[in-house]
Amino acid sequence: MNTKLLSWRSLDDGENPLDDYGEEGKDGEHERNTAKNRTVGLFGEDNSFNTYYGIEKFIQVHICSFSLSDCLVEGGIQLHHRGESKHDKYCGKELDLAYLPVQNEDLIYLPSCSNDLKSLSFAHCSSIGKVGLKNLSHLQVLVRLDLSYCKNICDESCSVIKENFNRLRCLKMRGCNISDAGIIRIMEGCLYLETISFGGVIKLSDRAIQAIETNLSLMNLIAELDLSRCTRFTNESLISLLEHDGGVIKSLDISYCTQINIGLIGFKRNFTSTKCHILNIRGLTGICNSTMSWLSDGCKYLKFLDLSFSRLVDDSALSYLSKGCTRLSSLLLTKCTEISDSGFADFIFNAGRNLKTIVVRNCSQLGEFSGMAIAKSCQKLVHLDIFGVPRISNESLQKIAKGCRWLEYIDFSADINSLDLSRKARVPRIGGEGIRSVGQYCKGVKVLKCNGASMLDSRGLMGAMLHCANLIVLHVRYCFKIEDYAVMAVSEHCHELSDADFGCCVKISDRGIIGLSQGCRQLKKLDLLGLRLLTDKSIKLLARRCPNLSTLILRGCEKLTDISISILSKCCRSLTVIGGISDFSVSKLHSCNLIRLVDFTNTEASYGAVANLARQLPFAVKVPARCKISPVHHSFRQYKQFVKYHDFLAIHQKNLSKTIRAFICKRAYIKWRRIALSSCILIQTQFRRFEAVKKLKAKHRGHALKILETIACMFKFVRMKANIVGKVVIIQSYCRRFFARTQFC
């Protein structure tokens, strides 16, 4: 069968990859510059791209079912979910080719591989363009298409979408190189669109907004609209869209559209309300208190609101919201520094009964009143993030724990990067009593973060862990009072713990880490930064008992030697982040093929050893002028995983064929052996019968001979007796004659 091959080429110099790591994103520029050089370790020393794999086999392996009713998740918070029903029309097969080096010619055979595809994703596939979309024209049932960050998608590609994919329900074109003309063509041809994403389209202006408005007026179907980071359309066009036909939009994202200030006045209604449930206006620095009054009048059904980084929003804005938006379930107010403690408390009392998610990160003015209001009004609260809010004390946290017993996520960490030099602005007032109450009343807590809570002691942590059997994430970095017996209490009660951070808890020694490894066997991430009392003994047991460990930070552990790294390389083959020691440790890491990030800064490791390790690892590359290995570009990583997966399949296919051959040979041998054994048994039986008959005949022959010999002896005896008797008779007759003669004479 002739199969079109999936080819691989180097990244363009102007490509902007998306790094999926937080702190690692700083090295993204280096990864782009070294992406081409990294191909030497993959394709050989001649740097030739001769590795190909069939796209049909890849499709058959990676195709899966999906539903258009998916979740929108941001920052670990569930924003929106429409449950799947039994009669969902948009359920079908999905193929995700995101980040892979797919070419236009590779898509010719895609319809023949699976003609009933309903969802297709080409996110970050920079080579896909007009020709590739034409090759997909046979996919008549396609309802979901993702072309995010495909740089070759232009206005001509939009014409292809208009002609061939007029049944689309969901279209995502974030970051594409399209203009108003392309968007107008899409709106004219794809009349059944329900989800549209044009986020990051720089050329989008008022003409595109008018085209969306026209589509809405005709079909009235668009429910989700993403215009984030589009800075060229004006307030007037947004007002017109929201006033005339925007009432049916359920989800609107205009985050970081910094030109918008009065555009949200389009939500204002006199006697009715829009159907908007999700509104993301994150980073709109121009909105003010009057904007909230418009939302209060026109968004009565609003459930999710993100006002993060809106520094002009204050207590008046919250008072406006409390009058109309009483159905809010998620509220994000990150760095809204103008909101006071009393103003937020009043809002919670008036409109916080349905809140399940509250994020008030770095709202430094919040304090005791806010905590009391949350405890009394937010009984359905599940997610509470008060990161960088130091004025909430133990008493407030105790009341929150008693009133909000459904809490699953709580973060009251200190903002260690704050520019305020005062101690009150950085260190939270929560200690052992507050954390103990969280564990006592909120027994379903899964995530607990209290980094920088220097008042937290071992007794408080032990009291909390007694009831937190479902805990998955525990971060207590910079909690200097925590000791070994607190860590052992964690291991005794939290067996499902997968992410733990004990960085800079300097009183923890080998005893605590050994106990942690004994009880928490599902650990995947562990941070032991700066634990100077640790030795190789604890790391040895940790590596053996926690085989799923993928992230381990050992920087600053001065007593560890190369033995720890060598043991980790043998027992934990999927390590992603570790701390190194010397060149011997570096040489032992060659067996860990899945390592992506290793930092050997301030260690005895040499540049040559680190460079050699980087050449051996398939998913990592060395950072120039530093003893550090960082992840390669995401598309490289996906492709190499694909190559490695096929190598894995090839190896196991060979092993399987050998096993099948051995099994067949074994069955044939067993069958032959059974036949041989049965033949041997028959032969032995016949031989035994023959021997028995032979012995019986010999026995009967001997008996007959004995009888014949006896008869012969008897005949001889009788004959001899007769002879003797005859002779005796003759002698007797002679004797009688003799005596008779003597007497007569």
Side-chain angles (χ1 to χ4, degrees):
M1 178 180 178
N2 294 328
T3 305
K4 185 62 181 177
L5 300 179
L6 176 63
S7 59
W8 168 258
R9 66 178 184 83
S10 61
L11 294 174
D12 296 335
D13 294 334
E15 188 168 353
N16 292 324
L18 179 64
D19 297 323
D20 57 344
Y21 289 90
E23 298 179 358
E24 302 162 15
K26 299 178 181 179
D27 300 326
E29 184 178 356
H30 159 68
E31 294 174 7
R32 291 193 293 273
N33 295 332
T34 58
K36 294 182 180 180
N37 298 331
R38 186 65 192 95
T39 58
V40 176
L42 176 63
F43 298 103
E45 297 295 335
D46 56 345
N47 202 16
S48 59
F49 299 88
N50 295 324
T51 302
Y52 300 99
Y53 283 92
I55 191 171
E56 292 185 4
K57 191 170 184 179
F58 180 84
I59 292 170
Q60 293 173 1
V61 171
H62 289 80
I63 199 167
C64 60
S65 60
F66 88 106
S67 175
L68 196 63
S69 307
D70 53 356
C71 296
L72 299 176
V73 179
E74 181 176 348
I77 306 170
Q78 185 172 351
L79 308 184
H80 179 54
H81 176 70
R82 292 184 297 170
E84 297 181 11
S85 63
K86 297 181 179 179
H87 306 286
D88 194 348
K89 298 180 181 179
Y90 313 131
C91 293
K93 291 184 178 180
E94 178 185 19
L95 179 62
D96 188 0
L97 299 175
Y99 296 98
L100 289 176
V102 183
Q103 306 292 328
N104 289 324
E105 55 270 17
D106 295 327
L107 304 181
I108 296 176
Y109 290 91
L110 181 59
S112 62
C113 297
S114 181
N115 199 22
D116 56 346
L117 276 176
K118 288 194 174 182
S119 176
L120 193 56
S121 176
F122 294 110
H124 297 270
C125 295
S126 57
S127 300
I128 300 298
K130 173 184 176 182
V131 179
L133 293 178
K134 282 185 177 180
N135 294 334
L136 301 175
S137 58
H138 297 290
L139 298 177
Q140 298 296 331
V141 296
L142 194 67
V143 297
R144 183 175 181 269
L145 182 61
D146 188 355
L147 299 172
S148 301
Y149 303 101
C150 295
K151 292 190 173 181
N152 287 338
I153 298 297
C154 56
D155 294 340
E156 296 179 356
S157 305
C158 296
S159 301
V160 177
I161 295 174
K162 173 184 176 181
E163 296 172 0
N164 300 309
F165 306 108
N166 51 11
R167 295 186 180 181
L168 284 177
R169 303 280 182 172
C170 176
L171 179 62
K172 296 182 179 180
M173 303 184 72
R174 294 178 61 91
C176 292
N177 189 21
I178 58 177
S179 62
D180 292 340
I183 297 175
I184 291 172
R185 294 170 191 172
I186 291 174
M187 292 294 103
E188 290 175 353
C190 304
L191 298 177
Y192 299 99
L193 283 173
E194 296 179 3
T195 302
I196 305 174
S197 178
F198 293 128
V201 177
I202 302 175
K203 299 179 182 180
L204 186 145
S205 63
D206 292 345
R207 291 180 58 201
I209 302 297
Q210 293 174 4
I212 296 173
E213 181 181 352
T214 304
N215 184 293
L216 267 174
S217 61
L218 289 175
M219 305 301 297
N220 207 19
L221 291 176
I222 298 178
E224 299 180 11
L225 181 60
D226 181 7
L227 301 174
S228 58
R229 301 182 185 273
C230 299
T231 57
R232 289 195 177 184
F233 67 92
T234 61
N235 290 295
E236 290 75 11
S237 60
L238 182 61
I239 292 172
S240 177
L241 174 65
L242 297 177
E243 280 185 349
H244 297 107
D245 302 295
V248 298
I249 298 177
K250 295 182 179 180
S251 175
L252 179 62
D253 186 357
I254 52 173
S255 57
Y256 298 103
C257 296
T258 53
Q259 80 280 10
I260 299 299
N261 46 26
I262 62 171
L264 296 178
I265 196 175
F267 278 116
K268 187 174 182 180
R269 301 290 190 274
N270 292 326
F271 303 103
T272 59
S273 175
T274 61
K275 296 182 180 180
C276 186
H277 291 173
I278 300 174
L279 181 60
N280 188 351
I281 50 178
R282 186 186 187 94
L284 300 190
T285 56
I287 61 175
C288 55
N289 298 331
S290 58
T291 305
M292 300 300 108
S293 65
W294 304 330
L295 294 180
S296 176
D297 294 337
C299 300
K300 303 290 184 180
Y301 302 101
L302 194 63
K303 294 183 179 180
F304 174 85
L305 179 61
D306 189 353
L307 293 173
S308 301
F309 304 102
S310 301
R311 298 182 179 180
L312 298 180
V313 174
D314 56 10
D315 297 342
S316 301
L318 293 183
S319 65
Y320 286 129
L321 283 177
S322 63
K323 296 178 182 178
C325 302
T326 57
R327 302 185 182 185
L328 278 175
S329 61
S330 299
L331 180 63
L332 281 67
L333 298 173
T334 302
K335 287 192 176 180
C336 294
T337 55
E338 297 297 325
I339 297 176
S340 66
D341 189 16
S342 59
F344 184 76
D346 293 338
F347 171 78
I348 294 297
F349 279 125
N350 296 326
R353 296 180 180 179
N354 298 318
L355 281 175
K356 295 182 179 180
T357 300
I358 297 178
V359 178
V360 287
R361 298 173 67 92
N362 297 106
C363 296
S364 56
Q365 295 188 29
L366 303 188
E368 299 293 334
F369 293 111
S370 300
M372 294 175 60
I374 292 173
K376 291 183 179 180
S377 302
C378 304
Q379 298 180 357
K380 301 179 181 179
L381 193 63
V382 176
H383 184 109
L384 178 61
D385 190 348
I386 50 176
F387 175 88
V389 183
R391 296 187 180 182
I392 294 181
S393 62
N394 281 329
E395 297 180 357
S396 301
L397 189 59
Q398 289 176 357
K399 293 179 181 179
I400 291 174
K402 291 180 181 179
C404 310
R405 302 200 176 191
W406 296 99
L407 271 175
E408 296 181 0
Y409 180 103
I410 182 168
D411 183 1
F412 55 89
S413 303
D415 186 8
I416 60 175
N417 296 322
S418 176
L419 297 177
D420 194 345
L421 300 179
S422 63
R423 186 173 182 271
K424 293 183 179 180
R426 297 169 62 88
V427 180
R429 302 178 184 177
I430 298 174
E433 296 179 359
I435 196 70
R436 191 184 300 114
S437 62
V438 171
Q440 182 178 357
Y441 297 105
C442 306
K443 298 181 179 180
V445 171
K446 296 181 179 180
V447 180
L448 180 60
K449 297 181 180 181
C450 46
N451 297 328
S454 58
M455 297 176 63
L456 179 62
D457 56 1
S458 298
R459 292 184 180 180
L461 187 61
M462 287 180 61
M465 295 300 105
L466 291 175
H467 308 282
C468 296
N470 299 322
L471 194 66
I472 298 176
V473 179
L474 176 63
H475 290 183
V476 288
R477 176 177 285 201
Y478 300 112
C479 297
F480 306 108
K481 296 182 180 180
I482 293 179
E483 301 178 3
D484 288 334
Y485 58 88
V487 181
M488 296 179 68
V490 173
S491 66
E492 291 178 3
H493 302 283
C494 306
H495 300 296
E496 297 183 3
L497 190 69
S498 62
D499 185 358
D501 185 355
F502 296 102
C504 297
C505 298
V506 293
K507 293 185 179 181
I508 297 177
S509 63
D510 287 340
R511 182 183 177 187
I513 300 304
I514 292 173
L516 182 68
S517 64
Q518 185 175 2
C520 304
R521 300 292 181 96
Q522 300 181 8
L523 272 177
K524 295 181 180 179
K525 297 181 180 181
L526 182 61
D527 190 347
L528 303 177
L529 173 68
L531 301 189
R532 300 182 178 181
L533 301 178
L534 292 187
T535 62
D536 296 332
K537 180 181 178 181
S538 58
I539 302 301
K540 180 179 179 180
L541 293 176
L542 181 68
R544 291 180 178 178
R545 293 174 179 175
C546 303
N548 298 325
L549 200 62
S550 61
T551 301
L552 180 61
I553 298 177
L554 300 174
R555 193 177 297 112
C557 302
E558 298 177 352
K559 294 185 179 181
L560 296 183
T561 63
D562 296 328
I563 300 175
S564 301
I565 304 300
S566 62
I567 294 173
L568 286 170
S569 63
K570 293 178 182 178
C571 299
C572 302
R573 295 299 180 91
S574 61
L575 279 174
T576 301
V577 183
I578 65 173
I581 305 296
S582 66
D583 288 348
F584 180 78
S585 303
V586 176
S587 64
K588 292 296 182 180
L589 293 177
H590 290 279
S591 59
C592 300
N593 294 327
L594 299 180
I595 289 181
R596 297 173 184 172
L597 177 63
V598 189
D599 192 355
F600 295 99
T601 307
N602 298 326
T603 62
E604 298 177 1
S606 62
Y607 287 95
V610 176
N612 187 21
L613 175 63
R615 282 192 290 269
Q616 298 293 330
L617 298 178
F619 306 127
V621 63
K622 184 182 179 300
V623 179
R626 293 182 62 185
C627 284
K628 183 178 180 181
I629 295 176
S630 63
V632 296
H633 182 256
H634 193 71
S635 58
F636 277 88
R637 193 159 58 241
Q638 292 285 340
Y639 181 73
K640 291 175 184 177
Q641 287 178 352
F642 177 52
V643 173
K644 189 175 181 181
Y645 174 73
H646 277 276
D647 293 340
F648 177 79
L649 284 182
I651 293 171
H652 284 273
Q653 284 175 358
K654 292 180 181 178
N655 295 336
L656 181 62
S657 61
K658 292 180 181 179
T659 306
I660 291 174
R661 277 195 233 102
F663 177 72
I664 294 173
C665 294
K666 186 176 180 181
R667 287 190 63 181
Y669 170 74
I670 292 173
K671 186 176 180 180
W672 174 83
R673 184 182 176 187
R674 288 177 180 174
I675 295 172
L677 287 175
S678 60
S679 302
C680 291
I681 291 170
L682 290 174
I683 293 171
Q684 290 176 358
T685 304
Q686 295 295 334
F687 181 75
R688 287 171 186 163
R689 287 180 182 177
F690 174 75
E691 289 291 330
V693 171
K694 186 177 179 181
K695 289 181 180 180
L696 183 62
K697 288 181 179 180
K699 185 177 180 181
H700 286 297
R701 190 183 299 113
H703 185 63
L705 290 174
K706 288 180 181 180
I707 293 173
L708 290 174
E709 290 176 355
T710 304
I711 294 172
C713 290
M714 289 179 66
F715 278 115
K716 288 181 180 180
F717 175 74
V718 171
R719 184 181 293 177
M720 183 178 65
K721 183 179 179 182
N723 292 334
I724 294 172
V725 170
K727 291 180 179 180
V728 170
V729 172
I730 293 172
I731 292 172
Q732 286 179 355
S733 66
Y734 284 146
C735 286
R736 287 191 192 104
R737 287 177 184 178
F738 174 75
F739 285 117
R741 288 176 182 177
T742 35
Q743 289 179 3
F744 179 73
C745 292

